[in-house]
Amino acid sequence: MSESAPAPENHPAPHTPSAPAAPAGSAAPAGFHGMWRDLSGIGRDAGSGGYRRYAWTAADAECRDWFRDQAAARGLRYELDRNGNQWAWLGDPAAGDAVVTGSHLDSVPDGGAFDGPLGVVSAFGALDLLRERGRPAHRPLAVVNFTDEEGARFGLACVGSRLTAGQLDPEQARRLRDADGVTLAEAMERGGHDPAAIGPDPERLSRISAFVELHIEQGRALDLQDARVGVASAIWPHGRWRFDFRGEANHAGTTRLDDRHDPMLTYANTVLAARKKARLAGALATFGKVAVEPNGVNAIACLVRGWLDSRAADEQTLAALVGAIEQAAQERGARDGVSVDVVRESFTPVVEFAHDLRDRIAALAGDTAPVPVLPTGAGHDAGILSAAVPTAMLFVRNPTGVSHSPAEAAAEDDCVTGVAVLADVLEGLACR
Ligand SMILES: [Zn+2]
C-alpha cells in the first residue's frame, strides 16, 4: 500500500452503494443497501482496507452462508452443485429453459468490494424488483455464486465454472495446491464439500438458456462515455508468456562493462519494447512478475525470468504483438550476449458473446438511454460458460477504472441503475 492510501476508517462511506432500507417491521428481504452492508465486513483486512476472500477459507464460508441466507429470505430453492457453486432458484430448476444471473463472491488478495459481489447482490436485487413490479416469470430464474473465480488461492481462475463446463480435469483440480501446500481437495473437504464429486455438469448447463453476469467495469470506458451501464461485446484473447534471459553471473565490482553478459539489460529493454509495441498495436502488454538469479545486489545476474501478460482485440494482433516483442528481445539479447527463450504458459482464445442475446440485452438495457457495447480485457465465469450457454455481460461504471484493489469504486446511483437494468433484462428474457 502507498502511504497516501486512505485509512480504512475513512474508506467505506463514499464508495458504499446504498438503497432505501426496507420499511420498519417489514418481513421483506434486505434491500440492496442491507445486502451490501451485511457483506461489507466479511474478509476485509483492517490494514489494507481490501478483501481477502479466498476460496474455501473461513471468509469464503461466511460469504457462502450469506448467499444461503439471501436465498432463504426470498423463499428461493437453494442448491449446492457438485463443484461447490451455489444456486438460488425461483421456479423449478428441472423445468429447463432457465435464465440465470450472478457472479462470484471470492476476491483477489486485497481486492475491492465490487468485483464479483456487485453481480450477486444485484442479482438478488433484480429479483426483488421483478417481484415489486408484479412480473411473474414464465421460465425458471436463478442466482448463482460461482466458487473460486479469482484463483487467488490455488493459482487457477474460474475453477467452479471451468469444472462445470468440462474445461478442467477434476483430477488436475483436486491436486492444485495453495502457498501452504494444501490441495484443493483438502481445502474442499475442510469446507464440508466432497472433492470426489467434482466434474463436468452438462445436464445442469443444458437446462440454462441464458446466463447474464453483471460486473463492475474494470476500466474507464463507461466513465469516458458518460454512461452508467454497458453491455459486453467480447472478451479479448489473452495469454501468459515466460521469457528466460540467460547471461553470465559475475562480480559487480570487478567485471568490466564490456566483458559482461547481463540479462537484466536485455530484460529491461524488452519491457520498454513491449510497452511501445503494445501502444502501436492498440493492445496491452505487461511484465508484472520477475525472478532473478542469483538475485544479489553485488552480482551481475545469470538469469532473469520475466512473465509477459498480453491481450488484444483479436488473435492475429495478439500473435503479431508477442512475436514482435520476442524479436526485440532476441535482437537486444544478441547485442548483450544473452540468450532468450520464450515459453507460452497459457492462452485463452477470444470470447465473442452470443450476438443475438447481446443485441437483445443491449435493446432491453437501453429502454431509457442507449448503452455502449464494449469489449473487455478481463476473464470472467461468463467467458467460460459462453462455450456451452448463450451468455452476456452487463458492466457498471467504475469511475476510478481501478480494479483488483481497494480503490475499485462505483457510485450508489450507478449500482441502483445496474440493478434496474438487470431487472429489465430478466423481465424481457423470462417474464414476457
Ligand atoms: Zn470478477
Side-chain angles (χ1 to χ4, degrees), residues 225-368:
Q225 295 181 54
D226 201 21
R228 291 169 186 254
V229 175
V231 174
S233 57
I235 298 178
W236 281 13
H238 54 277
R240 294 175 179 188
W241 290 262
R242 196 186 77 219
F243 282 57
D244 288 347
F245 303 89
R246 285 178 206 278
E248 186 179 80
N250 214 327
H251 195 294
T254 59
T255 315
R256 293 185 332 132
L257 294 179
D258 286 349
D259 292 340
R260 298 180 181 202
H261 302 286
D262 185 350
M264 194 64 84
L265 294 182
T266 322
Y267 168 70
N269 198 268
T270 304
V271 174
L272 298 176
R275 169 62 181 246
K276 183 174 176 186
K277 290 177 190 303
R279 182 163 48 75
L280 293 172
L284 298 167
T286 309
F287 279 95
K289 178 177 170 181
V290 64
V292 179
E293 290 176 19
N295 208 24
V297 178
N298 57 356
I300 298 161
C302 60
L303 171 68
V304 176
R305 186 165 273 167
W307 280 264
L308 170 72
D309 174 304
S310 191
R311 303 161 193 243
D314 60 77
E315 289 172 24
Q316 294 92 315
T317 304
L318 182 56
L321 172 60
V322 174
I325 295 169
E326 180 175 354
Q327 192 188 344
Q330 296 289 3
E331 284 170 8
R332 176 70 200 205
R335 281 170 54 195
D336 296 331
V338 167
S339 71
V340 181
D341 293 299
V342 180
V343 178
R344 190 176 84 176
E345 291 194 333
S346 71
F347 182 75
T348 307
V350 66
V351 172
E352 278 280 344
F353 288 115
H355 287 197
D356 43 350
L357 181 63
R358 181 193 73 196
D359 294 346
R360 192 148 174 233
I361 280 177
L364 291 166
D367 259 1
T368 41

Side-chain angles (χ1 to χ4, degrees), residues 67-150:
F67 184 98
R68 223 181 29 228
D69 291 346
Q70 296 307 313
R74 289 166 176 80
L76 303 174
R77 185 192 300 201
Y78 175 75
E79 205 185 5
L80 183 69
D81 73 19
R82 60 186 298 187
N83 296 310
N85 307 309
Q86 298 179 294
W87 303 75
W89 287 92
L90 178 65
D92 180 7
D97 207 21
V99 176
V100 177
T101 184
S103 190
H104 61 95
L105 293 174
D106 68 320
S107 80
V108 296
D110 290 327
F114 298 88
D115 178 352
L118 184 63
V120 179
V121 169
S122 297
F124 283 118
L127 289 195
D128 294 344
L129 260 187
L130 291 188
R131 190 171 308 194
E132 277 171 36
R133 291 176 187 174
R135 299 291 310 195
H138 305 308
R139 296 157 67 180
L141 273 168
V143 179
V144 64
N145 167 33
F146 283 110
T147 190
D148 200 1
E149 194 272 350
E150 297 287 8

